[in-house]
C-alpha cells in the first residue's frame, strides 16, 4: 500500500508542479490584469487635445479578445483601427482581438475635449 501511495504522490507532484506557476498565474489574470493608462500629448487637433492610450497586460499569460467600454470612441482625428475598433455602440475590441502579452503594450492616440474612460469588459486568457 505504501508503494501505491508513493506512486500516486509522485504522479501528482510530477503533473501539478511543472504547471503550478501557470495555474497560480491564471488566478491573477483576467480583465483586472489589463491596465489602461492615458496621458495628454502636447498636440492639439482641431482645437481638441490629443491623448495617447497604453494598454498593458500584467498577467504572465497572453490575453486576447480584450473588449473595453468605449461608447463609439469619439475623436476628431483618425484612430488606428488595428489598435481599437468599435464592435457596437458601447464596446470596442483592442488589437483586432489578437493576444496582448505582458511587456508588449498596445498604444493608440485620439483627440477629444476630455479624456475618455476605457473600462475593460472582458478578455480571454491563454495559459
Amino acid at each position: 500500500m505504501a508503494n501505491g501511495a508513493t506512486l500516486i504522490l509522485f504522479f501528482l507532484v510530477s503533473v501539478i508542479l511543472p504547471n503550478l506557476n501557470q495555474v497560480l498565474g491564471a488566478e491573477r489574470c483576467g480583465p483586472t490584469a489589463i491596465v489602461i493608462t492615458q496621458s495628454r500629448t502636447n498636440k492639439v487637433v482641431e482645437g481638441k487635445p490629443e491623448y495617447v492610450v497604453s494598454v498593458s497586460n500584467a498577467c504572465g499569460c497572453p490575453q486576447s479578445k480584450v473588449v473595453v467600454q468605449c461608447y463609439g470612441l469619439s475623436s476628431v482625428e483618425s484612430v488606428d483601427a488595428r489598435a481599437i475598433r468599435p464592435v457596437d455602440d458601447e464596446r470596442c475590441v483592442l488589437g483586432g482581438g489578437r493576444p496582448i502579452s505582458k511587456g508588449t503594450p498596445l498604444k493608440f492616440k485620439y483627440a477629444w475635449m476630455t479624456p475618455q474612460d476605457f473600462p475593460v469588459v472582458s478578455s480571454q486568457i491563454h495559459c
Side-chain angles (χ1 to χ4, degrees), residues 38-40 49 51 53 74 110-118:
Q38 61 183 311
S39 58
R40 203 171 158 173
Y51 298 91
V53 179
S74 301
Y110 70 96
W112 197 242
M113 294 175 286
T114 56
Q116 299 180 48
D117 288 330
F118 297 100

Side-chain angles (χ1 to χ4, degrees), residues 37-58:
T37 58
Q38 61 183 311
S39 58
R40 203 171 158 173
T41 68
N42 291 325
K43 189 174 175 185
V44 175
V45 181
E46 295 181 25
K48 311 282 191 277
E50 182 184 64
Y51 298 91
V52 62
V53 179
S54 179
V55 182
S56 301
N57 181 7

Side-chain angles (χ1 to χ4, degrees), residues 42-88:
N42 291 325
K43 189 174 175 185
V44 175
V45 181
E46 295 181 25
K48 311 282 191 277
E50 182 184 64
Y51 298 91
V52 62
V53 179
S54 179
V55 182
S56 301
N57 181 7
C59 170
C61 302
Q63 296 192 64
S64 67
K65 298 180 182 172
V66 178
V67 175
V68 297
Q69 203 168 38
C70 65
Y71 295 106
L73 186 61
S74 301
S75 181
V76 293
E77 72 177 339
S78 5
V79 179
D80 184 357
R82 293 172 297 173
I84 185 167
R85 179 178 45 82
V87 291
D88 59 29

